mmCIF file of all heavy atoms in Angstrom:
data_model
loop_
_atom_site.group_PDB
_atom_site.id
_atom_site.type_symbol
_atom_site.label_atom_id
_atom_site.label_comp_id
_atom_site.label_asym_id
_atom_site.label_seq_id
_atom_site.Cartn_x
_atom_site.Cartn_y
_atom_site.Cartn_z
ATOM 1 N N GLY A 288 90.513 173.112 75.539
ATOM 2 C CA GLY A 288 91.973 172.882 75.479
ATOM 3 C C GLY A 288 92.795 174.143 75.640
ATOM 4 O O GLY A 288 93.960 174.087 76.000
ATOM 5 N N ILE A 289 92.176 175.311 75.370
ATOM 6 C CA ILE A 289 92.920 176.557 75.482
ATOM 7 C C ILE A 289 93.433 176.758 76.878
ATOM 8 O O ILE A 289 94.566 177.269 77.086
ATOM 9 C CB ILE A 289 92.018 177.737 75.031
ATOM 10 C CG1 ILE A 289 91.667 177.619 73.569
ATOM 11 C CG2 ILE A 289 92.699 179.070 75.333
ATOM 12 C CD1 ILE A 289 90.715 178.689 73.055
ATOM 13 N N ALA A 290 92.638 176.369 77.882
ATOM 14 C CA ALA A 290 93.056 176.585 79.287
ATOM 15 C C ALA A 290 94.340 175.805 79.603
ATOM 16 O O ALA A 290 95.256 176.348 80.194
ATOM 17 C CB ALA A 290 91.929 176.142 80.228
ATOM 18 N N ILE A 291 94.386 174.529 79.156
ATOM 19 C CA ILE A 291 95.565 173.736 79.397
ATOM 20 C C ILE A 291 96.751 174.189 78.537
ATOM 21 O O ILE A 291 97.882 174.218 78.994
ATOM 22 C CB ILE A 291 95.265 172.249 79.173
ATOM 23 C CG1 ILE A 291 94.145 171.778 80.114
ATOM 24 C CG2 ILE A 291 96.491 171.391 79.380
ATOM 25 C CD1 ILE A 291 94.492 171.861 81.577
ATOM 26 N N ASP A 292 96.457 174.576 77.293
ATOM 27 C CA ASP A 292 97.525 175.060 76.437
ATOM 28 C C ASP A 292 98.167 176.325 77.021
ATOM 29 O O ASP A 292 99.405 176.479 76.993
ATOM 30 C CB ASP A 292 96.973 175.394 75.031
ATOM 31 C CG ASP A 292 96.570 174.139 74.265
ATOM 32 O OD1 ASP A 292 97.036 173.044 74.626
ATOM 33 O OD2 ASP A 292 95.763 174.249 73.349
ATOM 34 N N THR A 293 97.353 177.189 77.576
ATOM 35 C CA THR A 293 97.851 178.419 78.215
ATOM 36 C C THR A 293 98.699 178.091 79.426
ATOM 37 O O THR A 293 99.748 178.699 79.659
ATOM 38 C CB THR A 293 96.693 179.330 78.613
ATOM 39 O OG1 THR A 293 95.909 179.646 77.426
ATOM 40 C CG2 THR A 293 97.201 180.635 79.215
ATOM 41 N N LEU A 294 98.268 177.099 80.178
ATOM 42 C CA LEU A 294 99.004 176.653 81.361
ATOM 43 C C LEU A 294 100.378 176.162 80.951
ATOM 44 O O LEU A 294 101.434 176.519 81.565
ATOM 45 C CB LEU A 294 98.238 175.555 82.091
ATOM 46 C CG LEU A 294 98.912 174.960 83.349
ATOM 47 C CD1 LEU A 294 98.801 175.961 84.498
ATOM 48 C CD2 LEU A 294 98.258 173.651 83.715
ATOM 49 N N GLU A 295 100.440 175.320 79.909
ATOM 50 C CA GLU A 295 101.738 174.822 79.439
ATOM 51 C C GLU A 295 102.626 175.929 78.920
ATOM 52 O O GLU A 295 103.844 175.915 79.113
ATOM 53 C CB GLU A 295 101.493 173.782 78.331
ATOM 54 C CG GLU A 295 100.909 172.465 78.798
ATOM 55 C CD GLU A 295 100.846 171.452 77.700
ATOM 56 O OE1 GLU A 295 99.975 171.570 76.832
ATOM 57 O OE2 GLU A 295 101.699 170.530 77.703
ATOM 58 N N GLU A 296 102.031 176.909 78.262
ATOM 59 C CA GLU A 296 102.799 178.007 77.646
ATOM 60 C C GLU A 296 103.411 178.917 78.713
ATOM 61 O O GLU A 296 104.571 179.270 78.661
ATOM 62 C CB GLU A 296 101.881 178.816 76.725
ATOM 63 C CG GLU A 296 102.585 180.008 76.077
ATOM 64 C CD GLU A 296 101.601 180.819 75.240
ATOM 65 O OE1 GLU A 296 100.548 180.301 74.870
ATOM 66 O OE2 GLU A 296 101.940 182.011 74.998
ATOM 67 N N LYS A 297 102.590 179.257 79.734
ATOM 68 C CA LYS A 297 103.032 180.203 80.743
ATOM 69 C C LYS A 297 103.856 179.565 81.862
ATOM 70 O O LYS A 297 104.674 180.199 82.494
ATOM 71 C CB LYS A 297 101.816 180.920 81.361
ATOM 72 C CG LYS A 297 101.112 181.844 80.362
ATOM 73 C CD LYS A 297 99.997 182.616 81.058
ATOM 74 C CE LYS A 297 99.320 183.568 80.121
ATOM 75 N NZ LYS A 297 98.217 184.348 80.774
ATOM 76 N N GLY A 298 103.615 178.275 82.120
ATOM 77 C CA GLY A 298 104.335 177.607 83.176
ATOM 78 C C GLY A 298 103.938 178.147 84.550
ATOM 79 O O GLY A 298 102.833 178.667 84.744
ATOM 80 N N CYS A 299 104.839 178.053 85.508
ATOM 81 C CA CYS A 299 104.515 178.498 86.883
ATOM 82 C C CYS A 299 104.607 180.014 86.960
ATOM 83 O O CYS A 299 105.562 180.638 86.532
ATOM 84 C CB CYS A 299 105.416 177.835 87.894
ATOM 85 S SG CYS A 299 107.167 178.096 87.593
ATOM 86 N N LEU A 300 103.541 180.619 87.506
ATOM 87 C CA LEU A 300 103.499 182.063 87.704
ATOM 88 C C LEU A 300 103.314 182.322 89.187
ATOM 89 O O LEU A 300 102.396 181.805 89.815
ATOM 90 C CB LEU A 300 102.282 182.643 86.916
ATOM 91 C CG LEU A 300 102.299 182.454 85.401
ATOM 92 C CD1 LEU A 300 100.998 182.978 84.810
ATOM 93 C CD2 LEU A 300 103.504 183.121 84.779
ATOM 94 N N ARG A 301 104.167 183.162 89.728
ATOM 95 C CA ARG A 301 104.080 183.464 91.160
ATOM 96 C C ARG A 301 102.931 184.419 91.443
ATOM 97 O O ARG A 301 102.726 185.411 90.734
ATOM 98 C CB ARG A 301 105.427 184.061 91.645
ATOM 99 C CG ARG A 301 105.549 184.105 93.163
ATOM 100 C CD ARG A 301 106.942 184.482 93.558
ATOM 101 N NE ARG A 301 107.148 184.437 94.987
ATOM 102 C CZ ARG A 301 107.482 183.367 95.686
ATOM 103 N NH1 ARG A 301 107.622 182.221 95.060
ATOM 104 N NH2 ARG A 301 107.654 183.421 96.989
ATOM 105 N N ASN A 302 102.145 184.069 92.464
ATOM 106 C CA ASN A 302 101.020 184.881 92.903
ATOM 107 C C ASN A 302 99.949 185.079 91.823
ATOM 108 O O ASN A 302 99.235 186.047 91.813
ATOM 109 C CB ASN A 302 101.477 186.220 93.415
ATOM 110 C CG ASN A 302 102.366 186.082 94.634
ATOM 111 O OD1 ASN A 302 102.144 185.250 95.489
ATOM 112 N ND2 ASN A 302 103.397 186.941 94.731
ATOM 113 N N GLN A 303 99.847 184.087 90.950
ATOM 114 C CA GLN A 303 98.762 184.082 89.974
ATOM 115 C C GLN A 303 97.453 183.598 90.689
ATOM 116 O O GLN A 303 97.493 182.614 91.415
ATOM 117 C CB GLN A 303 99.098 183.106 88.827
ATOM 118 C CG GLN A 303 97.907 182.650 87.988
ATOM 119 C CD GLN A 303 97.378 183.754 87.111
ATOM 120 O OE1 GLN A 303 98.145 184.514 86.528
ATOM 121 N NE2 GLN A 303 96.068 183.822 86.994
ATOM 122 N N ALA A 304 96.383 184.299 90.463
ATOM 123 C CA ALA A 304 95.101 183.890 91.092
ATOM 124 C C ALA A 304 94.657 182.573 90.469
ATOM 125 O O ALA A 304 94.809 182.342 89.273
ATOM 126 C CB ALA A 304 94.043 184.951 90.870
ATOM 127 N N PRO A 305 94.130 181.644 91.282
ATOM 128 C CA PRO A 305 93.634 180.367 90.743
ATOM 129 C C PRO A 305 92.586 180.564 89.669
ATOM 130 O O PRO A 305 91.780 181.506 89.726
ATOM 131 C CB PRO A 305 93.054 179.679 92.002
ATOM 132 C CG PRO A 305 93.768 180.298 93.150
ATOM 133 C CD PRO A 305 93.995 181.713 92.755
ATOM 134 N N VAL A 306 92.594 179.675 88.705
ATOM 135 C CA VAL A 306 91.629 179.664 87.624
ATOM 136 C C VAL A 306 90.823 178.398 87.704
ATOM 137 O O VAL A 306 91.393 177.290 87.615
ATOM 138 C CB VAL A 306 92.294 179.769 86.233
ATOM 139 C CG1 VAL A 306 91.273 179.746 85.119
ATOM 140 C CG2 VAL A 306 93.144 181.041 86.123
ATOM 141 N N VAL A 307 89.501 178.513 87.928
ATOM 142 C CA VAL A 307 88.642 177.338 88.083
ATOM 143 C C VAL A 307 87.946 177.074 86.754
ATOM 144 O O VAL A 307 87.237 177.934 86.226
ATOM 145 C CB VAL A 307 87.621 177.563 89.191
ATOM 146 C CG1 VAL A 307 86.693 176.372 89.348
ATOM 147 C CG2 VAL A 307 88.316 177.882 90.516
ATOM 148 N N VAL A 308 88.121 175.872 86.209
ATOM 149 C CA VAL A 308 87.509 175.497 84.934
ATOM 150 C C VAL A 308 86.574 174.310 85.219
ATOM 151 O O VAL A 308 87.030 173.217 85.586
ATOM 152 C CB VAL A 308 88.568 175.074 83.894
ATOM 153 C CG1 VAL A 308 87.900 174.827 82.559
ATOM 154 C CG2 VAL A 308 89.636 176.169 83.770
ATOM 155 N N PRO A 309 85.261 174.492 85.066
ATOM 156 C CA PRO A 309 84.317 173.416 85.318
ATOM 157 C C PRO A 309 84.537 172.239 84.366
ATOM 158 O O PRO A 309 84.866 172.424 83.194
ATOM 159 C CB PRO A 309 82.945 174.037 85.090
ATOM 160 C CG PRO A 309 83.164 175.520 85.233
ATOM 161 C CD PRO A 309 84.566 175.751 84.736
ATOM 162 N N ALA A 310 84.376 171.038 84.896
ATOM 163 C CA ALA A 310 84.520 169.844 84.047
ATOM 164 C C ALA A 310 83.217 169.621 83.303
ATOM 165 O O ALA A 310 82.141 169.510 83.924
ATOM 166 C CB ALA A 310 84.812 168.624 84.920
ATOM 167 N N VAL A 311 83.293 169.620 81.959
ATOM 168 C CA VAL A 311 82.083 169.394 81.172
ATOM 169 C C VAL A 311 81.552 167.998 81.392
ATOM 170 O O VAL A 311 80.356 167.761 81.569
ATOM 171 C CB VAL A 311 82.410 169.637 79.673
ATOM 172 C CG1 VAL A 311 81.187 169.320 78.812
ATOM 173 C CG2 VAL A 311 82.876 171.049 79.446
ATOM 174 N N GLN A 312 82.462 167.043 81.424
ATOM 175 C CA GLN A 312 82.100 165.639 81.709
ATOM 176 C C GLN A 312 82.709 165.262 83.058
ATOM 177 O O GLN A 312 83.925 165.191 83.203
ATOM 178 C CB GLN A 312 82.615 164.719 80.585
ATOM 179 C CG GLN A 312 82.109 163.289 80.681
ATOM 180 C CD GLN A 312 82.575 162.441 79.493
ATOM 181 O OE1 GLN A 312 83.629 162.697 78.940
ATOM 182 N NE2 GLN A 312 81.794 161.466 79.115
ATOM 183 N N LYS A 313 81.877 165.046 84.038
ATOM 184 C CA LYS A 313 82.341 164.785 85.413
ATOM 185 C C LYS A 313 82.763 163.310 85.534
ATOM 186 O O LYS A 313 81.956 162.449 85.867
ATOM 187 C CB LYS A 313 81.257 165.156 86.409
ATOM 188 C CG LYS A 313 80.944 166.664 86.447
ATOM 189 C CD LYS A 313 79.854 166.999 87.412
ATOM 190 C CE LYS A 313 79.701 168.485 87.598
ATOM 191 N NZ LYS A 313 79.435 169.205 86.357
ATOM 192 N N LEU A 314 84.039 163.069 85.272
ATOM 193 C CA LEU A 314 84.530 161.694 85.260
ATOM 194 C C LEU A 314 84.527 161.081 86.660
ATOM 195 O O LEU A 314 84.932 161.715 87.636
ATOM 196 C CB LEU A 314 85.938 161.629 84.670
ATOM 197 C CG LEU A 314 86.125 162.155 83.253
ATOM 198 C CD1 LEU A 314 87.549 161.862 82.805
ATOM 199 C CD2 LEU A 314 85.145 161.592 82.320
ATOM 200 N N PRO A 315 84.111 159.798 86.751
ATOM 201 C CA PRO A 315 84.204 159.133 88.052
ATOM 202 C C PRO A 315 85.651 158.951 88.464
ATOM 203 O O PRO A 315 86.534 158.754 87.620
ATOM 204 C CB PRO A 315 83.527 157.767 87.779
ATOM 205 C CG PRO A 315 82.749 157.948 86.542
ATOM 206 C CD PRO A 315 83.471 158.967 85.726
ATOM 207 N N VAL A 316 85.870 158.997 89.778
ATOM 208 C CA VAL A 316 87.202 158.731 90.373
ATOM 209 C C VAL A 316 87.043 157.591 91.350
ATOM 210 O O VAL A 316 86.181 157.662 92.230
ATOM 211 C CB VAL A 316 87.753 159.968 91.111
ATOM 212 C CG1 VAL A 316 89.084 159.634 91.764
ATOM 213 C CG2 VAL A 316 87.926 161.130 90.177
ATOM 214 N N ILE A 317 87.814 156.557 91.185
ATOM 215 C CA ILE A 317 87.794 155.422 92.102
ATOM 216 C C ILE A 317 89.190 155.259 92.677
ATOM 217 O O ILE A 317 90.166 155.085 91.933
ATOM 218 C CB ILE A 317 87.344 154.134 91.406
ATOM 219 C CG1 ILE A 317 85.928 154.282 90.859
ATOM 220 C CG2 ILE A 317 87.434 152.924 92.363
ATOM 221 C CD1 ILE A 317 85.486 153.155 89.974
ATOM 222 N N VAL A 318 89.326 155.354 93.972
ATOM 223 C CA VAL A 318 90.595 155.120 94.642
ATOM 224 C C VAL A 318 90.437 153.870 95.481
ATOM 225 O O VAL A 318 89.629 153.828 96.409
ATOM 226 C CB VAL A 318 90.989 156.330 95.548
ATOM 227 C CG1 VAL A 318 92.344 156.072 96.206
ATOM 228 C CG2 VAL A 318 91.022 157.622 94.757
ATOM 229 N N TRP A 319 91.177 152.849 95.130
ATOM 230 C CA TRP A 319 91.003 151.572 95.843
ATOM 231 C C TRP A 319 92.352 150.993 96.286
ATOM 232 O O TRP A 319 93.405 151.401 95.789
ATOM 233 C CB TRP A 319 90.188 150.565 95.031
ATOM 234 C CG TRP A 319 90.784 150.122 93.703
ATOM 235 C CD1 TRP A 319 91.964 150.483 93.172
ATOM 236 C CD2 TRP A 319 90.166 149.244 92.774
ATOM 237 N NE1 TRP A 319 92.138 149.885 91.949
ATOM 238 C CE2 TRP A 319 91.045 149.091 91.706
ATOM 239 C CE3 TRP A 319 88.947 148.534 92.750
ATOM 240 C CZ2 TRP A 319 90.743 148.275 90.586
ATOM 241 C CZ3 TRP A 319 88.678 147.729 91.637
ATOM 242 C CH2 TRP A 319 89.570 147.614 90.591
ATOM 243 N N TYR A 320 92.260 150.039 97.183
ATOM 244 C CA TYR A 320 93.456 149.404 97.726
ATOM 245 C C TYR A 320 93.437 147.966 97.149
ATOM 246 O O TYR A 320 92.882 147.036 97.764
ATOM 247 C CB TYR A 320 93.418 149.377 99.248
ATOM 248 C CG TYR A 320 94.742 148.992 99.878
ATOM 249 C CD1 TYR A 320 95.714 149.927 100.123
ATOM 250 C CD2 TYR A 320 94.994 147.655 100.219
ATOM 251 C CE1 TYR A 320 96.916 149.575 100.695
ATOM 252 C CE2 TYR A 320 96.177 147.288 100.798
ATOM 253 C CZ TYR A 320 97.162 148.248 101.049
ATOM 254 O OH TYR A 320 98.363 147.889 101.606
ATOM 255 N N ASN A 321 94.005 147.822 95.997
ATOM 256 C CA ASN A 321 94.015 146.544 95.284
ATOM 257 C C ASN A 321 95.469 146.134 95.007
ATOM 258 O O ASN A 321 96.160 146.750 94.234
ATOM 259 C CB ASN A 321 93.261 146.698 93.951
ATOM 260 C CG ASN A 321 93.105 145.412 93.214
ATOM 261 O OD1 ASN A 321 93.418 144.335 93.759
ATOM 262 N ND2 ASN A 321 92.628 145.461 91.983
ATOM 263 N N GLN A 322 95.888 145.074 95.705
ATOM 264 C CA GLN A 322 97.294 144.657 95.561
ATOM 265 C C GLN A 322 97.610 143.979 94.254
ATOM 266 O O GLN A 322 98.775 143.886 93.871
ATOM 267 C CB GLN A 322 97.638 143.672 96.697
ATOM 268 C CG GLN A 322 97.850 144.360 98.055
ATOM 269 C CD GLN A 322 98.202 143.317 99.101
ATOM 270 O OE1 GLN A 322 97.379 142.958 99.935
ATOM 271 N NE2 GLN A 322 99.440 142.849 99.053
ATOM 272 N N VAL A 323 96.617 143.456 93.566
ATOM 273 C CA VAL A 323 96.837 142.759 92.297
ATOM 274 C C VAL A 323 96.323 143.610 91.175
ATOM 275 O O VAL A 323 95.114 143.847 91.037
ATOM 276 C CB VAL A 323 96.125 141.372 92.293
ATOM 277 C CG1 VAL A 323 96.431 140.644 91.007
ATOM 278 C CG2 VAL A 323 96.548 140.543 93.489
ATOM 279 N N CYS A 324 97.247 144.122 90.367
ATOM 280 C CA CYS A 324 96.866 145.010 89.250
ATOM 281 C C CYS A 324 97.702 144.642 88.012
ATOM 282 O O CYS A 324 98.839 144.181 88.143
ATOM 283 C CB CYS A 324 97.136 146.458 89.601
ATOM 284 S SG CYS A 324 96.174 147.112 90.959
ATOM 285 N N PRO A 325 97.192 144.885 86.823
ATOM 286 C CA PRO A 325 97.967 144.675 85.611
ATOM 287 C C PRO A 325 99.002 145.798 85.434
ATOM 288 O O PRO A 325 98.742 146.944 85.790
ATOM 289 C CB PRO A 325 96.938 144.679 84.487
ATOM 290 C CG PRO A 325 95.831 145.544 85.020
ATOM 291 C CD PRO A 325 95.808 145.307 86.514
ATOM 292 N N ASP A 326 100.152 145.436 84.883
ATOM 293 C CA ASP A 326 101.107 146.481 84.510
ATOM 294 C C ASP A 326 100.785 146.985 83.111
ATOM 295 O O ASP A 326 99.769 146.620 82.522
ATOM 296 C CB ASP A 326 102.560 145.984 84.632
ATOM 297 C CG ASP A 326 102.852 144.826 83.680
ATOM 298 O OD1 ASP A 326 102.066 144.575 82.759
ATOM 299 O OD2 ASP A 326 103.878 144.149 83.897
ATOM 300 N N ASP A 327 101.637 147.855 82.569
ATOM 301 C CA ASP A 327 101.357 148.439 81.268
ATOM 302 C C ASP A 327 101.367 147.415 80.129
ATOM 303 O O ASP A 327 100.831 147.679 79.052
ATOM 304 C CB ASP A 327 102.382 149.554 80.956
ATOM 305 C CG ASP A 327 102.193 150.751 81.881
ATOM 306 O OD1 ASP A 327 101.069 150.917 82.396
ATOM 307 O OD2 ASP A 327 103.172 151.503 82.072
ATOM 308 N N LYS A 328 101.948 146.229 80.372
ATOM 309 C CA LYS A 328 101.990 145.175 79.342
ATOM 310 C C LYS A 328 100.869 144.151 79.549
ATOM 311 O O LYS A 328 100.805 143.158 78.807
ATOM 312 C CB LYS A 328 103.362 144.502 79.362
ATOM 313 C CG LYS A 328 104.510 145.402 79.011
ATOM 314 C CD LYS A 328 105.834 144.681 79.036
ATOM 315 C CE LYS A 328 106.992 145.604 78.678
ATOM 316 N NZ LYS A 328 108.304 144.900 78.777
ATOM 317 N N GLY A 329 100.045 144.372 80.569
ATOM 318 C CA GLY A 329 98.933 143.473 80.795
ATOM 319 C C GLY A 329 99.262 142.308 81.708
ATOM 320 O O GLY A 329 98.420 141.445 81.950
ATOM 321 N N ASN A 330 100.483 142.259 82.258
ATOM 322 C CA ASN A 330 100.845 141.220 83.186
ATOM 323 C C ASN A 330 100.377 141.519 84.571
ATOM 324 O O ASN A 330 100.461 142.674 85.030
ATOM 325 C CB ASN A 330 102.387 141.041 83.200
ATOM 326 C CG ASN A 330 102.965 140.717 81.846
ATOM 327 O OD1 ASN A 330 102.451 139.830 81.131
ATOM 328 N ND2 ASN A 330 103.976 141.437 81.444
ATOM 329 N N LEU A 331 99.858 140.504 85.297
ATOM 330 C CA LEU A 331 99.407 140.730 86.647
ATOM 331 C C LEU A 331 100.613 140.890 87.588
ATOM 332 O O LEU A 331 101.545 140.099 87.523
ATOM 333 C CB LEU A 331 98.531 139.575 87.137
ATOM 334 C CG LEU A 331 97.106 139.564 86.587
ATOM 335 C CD1 LEU A 331 96.334 138.368 87.138
ATOM 336 C CD2 LEU A 331 96.356 140.859 86.914
ATOM 337 N N VAL A 332 100.537 141.872 88.440
ATOM 338 C CA VAL A 332 101.623 142.155 89.400
ATOM 339 C C VAL A 332 101.003 142.188 90.816
ATOM 340 O O VAL A 332 99.941 142.775 91.002
ATOM 341 C CB VAL A 332 102.331 143.493 89.098
ATOM 342 C CG1 VAL A 332 103.395 143.771 90.116
ATOM 343 C CG2 VAL A 332 102.886 143.514 87.724
ATOM 344 N N ILE A 333 101.667 141.578 91.764
ATOM 345 C CA ILE A 333 101.220 141.609 93.151
ATOM 346 C C ILE A 333 102.101 142.652 93.876
ATOM 347 O O ILE A 333 103.327 142.474 93.990
ATOM 348 C CB ILE A 333 101.348 140.244 93.851
ATOM 349 C CG1 ILE A 333 100.484 139.241 93.101
ATOM 350 C CG2 ILE A 333 100.927 140.355 95.301
ATOM 351 C CD1 ILE A 333 100.576 137.841 93.673
ATOM 352 N N TYR A 334 101.456 143.692 94.332
ATOM 353 C CA TYR A 334 102.197 144.794 94.964
ATOM 354 C C TYR A 334 102.264 144.621 96.484
ATOM 355 O O TYR A 334 101.465 143.874 97.069
ATOM 356 C CB TYR A 334 101.539 146.133 94.634
ATOM 357 C CG TYR A 334 101.656 146.497 93.172
ATOM 358 C CD1 TYR A 334 100.669 146.141 92.268
ATOM 359 C CD2 TYR A 334 102.776 147.147 92.681
ATOM 360 C CE1 TYR A 334 100.785 146.459 90.914
ATOM 361 C CE2 TYR A 334 102.916 147.459 91.358
ATOM 362 C CZ TYR A 334 101.925 147.112 90.455
ATOM 363 O OH TYR A 334 102.032 147.394 89.122
#
Protein backbone atom coordinates (compact mmCIF):
# COMPACT_ATOMS: atom_id res chain seq x y z
CA GLY A 1 0.00 0.00 0.00
CA ILE A 2 2.95 2.35 0.48
CA ALA A 3 3.40 2.61 -3.30
CA ILE A 4 -0.18 3.77 -3.85
CA ASP A 5 -0.15 6.00 -0.76
CA THR A 6 2.98 7.71 -2.09
CA LEU A 7 1.33 8.16 -5.48
CA GLU A 8 -1.69 9.85 -3.87
CA GLU A 9 0.53 12.04 -1.71
CA LYS A 10 2.85 13.25 -4.49
CA GLY A 11 0.27 13.48 -7.28
CA CYS A 12 1.50 14.12 -10.80
CA LEU A 13 5.24 14.64 -11.13
CA ARG A 14 6.72 15.89 -14.39
CA ASN A 15 9.46 13.71 -15.86
CA GLN A 16 9.27 11.21 -13.02
CA ALA A 17 10.72 7.85 -14.07
CA PRO A 18 8.09 5.08 -14.18
CA VAL A 19 7.87 2.84 -11.11
CA VAL A 20 7.02 -0.80 -11.82
CA VAL A 21 5.38 -2.71 -8.94
CA PRO A 22 4.83 -6.45 -9.53
CA ALA A 23 1.37 -7.75 -8.74
CA VAL A 24 1.57 -10.24 -5.88
CA GLN A 25 -1.77 -11.72 -6.92
CA LYS A 26 -2.16 -11.72 -10.70
CA LEU A 27 -5.86 -10.99 -11.01
CA PRO A 28 -7.69 -12.22 -14.12
CA VAL A 29 -8.95 -9.55 -16.52
CA ILE A 30 -11.97 -10.28 -18.71
CA VAL A 31 -13.03 -7.74 -21.32
CA TRP A 32 -16.26 -8.77 -22.98
CA TYR A 33 -18.99 -7.36 -25.18
CA ASN A 34 -22.10 -8.06 -23.15
CA GLN A 35 -25.11 -5.82 -23.76
CA VAL A 36 -27.07 -7.12 -20.77
CA CYS A 37 -25.44 -6.28 -17.44
CA PRO A 38 -26.65 -5.53 -13.92
CA ASP A 39 -26.42 -1.97 -12.65
CA ASP A 40 -25.18 -1.06 -9.17
CA LYS A 41 -28.63 -1.87 -7.72
CA GLY A 42 -28.76 -5.31 -9.32
CA ASN A 43 -31.28 -4.37 -12.03
CA LEU A 44 -30.66 -5.77 -15.49
CA VAL A 45 -29.92 -3.09 -18.08
CA ILE A 46 -29.75 -3.53 -21.86
CA TYR A 47 -27.04 -1.30 -23.26
